[in-house]
Amino acid sequence: MNGDVANKVGTYNIAVLAKHHGIPFYVAAPVSTIDFQMKTGKDIPIEERDGRELTEVFGKRIAPVGLTVFSPAFDVTPNDLITAIVTNEGIFYPPFSGTLKIFRTQS
């Protein structure tokens, strides 16, 4: 509800770079993917990918045995990096906690 978003790994990095360089950063997502019950991105469960995707190629190990791997499938982009969220139902602008709340009560 605060406008934090989860997307493929790398979205956060691009949002940080855009903010640093004064470039607007927009998120495109269907309204059906918005969880109106979740308060912040800290509550988003992040799927962790199998570490073998990074330590093996074609079933052959390419990394040292015992190496610990953290491989999230998504990252969370904080709302303060987002200019607007563009959806099939309209465009939401900050403060997202207000605009998303108004949308939820009207739909």
Side-chain angles (χ1 to χ4, degrees):
M1 285 300 293
N2 74 343
D4 294 345
V5 299
N7 202 354
K8 293 292 183 190
V9 169
T11 304
Y12 170 74
N13 301 8
I14 294 168
V16 168
L17 287 169
K19 183 78 161 191
H20 179 77
H21 292 285
I23 300 169
F25 184 80
Y26 295 90
V27 172
V31 168
S32 62
T33 63
I34 298 173
D35 186 335
F36 291 101
Q37 306 304 312
M38 196 168 291
K39 293 183 181 182
T40 75
K42 292 178 183 176
D43 301 324
I44 299 171
I46 303 297
E47 170 193 350
E48 190 170 341
R49 305 292 301 250
D50 187 335
R52 289 179 293 185
E53 291 181 14
L54 300 174
T55 61
E56 294 181 9
V57 175
F58 301 113
K60 202 160 182 104
R61 186 148 186 105
I62 59 168
V65 174
L67 180 75
T68 303
V69 175
F70 174 63
S71 182
F74 302 95
D75 59 21
V76 176
T77 301
N79 65 67
D80 63 325
L81 299 177
I82 299 170
T83 305
I85 301 172
V86 180
T87 75
N88 55 310
E89 296 286 337
I91 302 173
F92 299 99
Y93 296 95
F96 297 108
S97 56
T99 57
L100 289 172
K101 184 177 183 179
I102 291 168
F103 174 79
R104 183 179 71 171
T105 58
Q106 293 176 351
S107 57

